[in-house]
């Protein structure tokens, strides 16, 4: 489980208090990913990674929506994802 601690939207950082308030978690289990927030229904999906390229890539697929392409990096205990 990864807690989202920073968000940037439109090239600008979202205020830390706003990010903390939403309590957004990404839960990875095998090839599944679920986004969780206390004020919303869980959003299950699947993901696939491509570690053969730099930066590493991830595709997230959730029912009823087009796949989301992302790049990611793991640095120690920090996961950075750019959607």
């Amino acid at each position: 489980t990864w807690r989202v601690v920073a968000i940037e939207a439109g090239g600008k950082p979202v205020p830390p208090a706003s990010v903390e308030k939403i309590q957004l978690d990404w839960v990875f289990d095998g090839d599944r990913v679920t986004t969780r927030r206390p004020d919303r229904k869980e959003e299950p999906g699947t993901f696939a990674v491509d570690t053969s390229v730099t930066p590493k890539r991830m595709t997230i697929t959730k029912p009823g929506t087009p796949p989301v392409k992302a790049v990611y990096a793991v640095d120690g205990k920090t996961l950075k994802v750019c959607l």
Side-chain angles (χ1 to χ4, degrees):
T1 300
W2 297 84
R3 170 61 52 100
V4 174
V5 297
I7 298 174
E8 195 173 294
K12 298 181 181 179
V14 173
S18 297
V19 176
E20 187 175 315
K21 183 178 178 181
I22 65 172
Q23 299 178 24
L24 175 60
D25 290 333
W26 285 28
V27 182
F28 292 90
D29 183 19
D31 68 344
R32 298 180 195 162
V33 61
T34 302
T35 52
R36 292 183 179 159
R37 282 178 57 168
D39 62 336
R40 295 193 182 171
K41 183 180 169 186
E42 286 188 0
E43 295 181 18
T46 58
F47 75 100
V49 296
D50 182 353
T51 59
S52 69
V53 295
T54 302
K56 296 175 183 169
R57 296 180 187 165
M58 176 187 316
T59 302
I60 301 168
T61 306
K62 295 191 176 187
T65 62
V68 175
K69 304 268 185 195
V71 295
Y72 76 96
V74 177
D75 182 15
K77 293 183 178 183
T78 301
L79 169 64
K80 294 180 182 183
V81 179
C82 181
L83 304 171

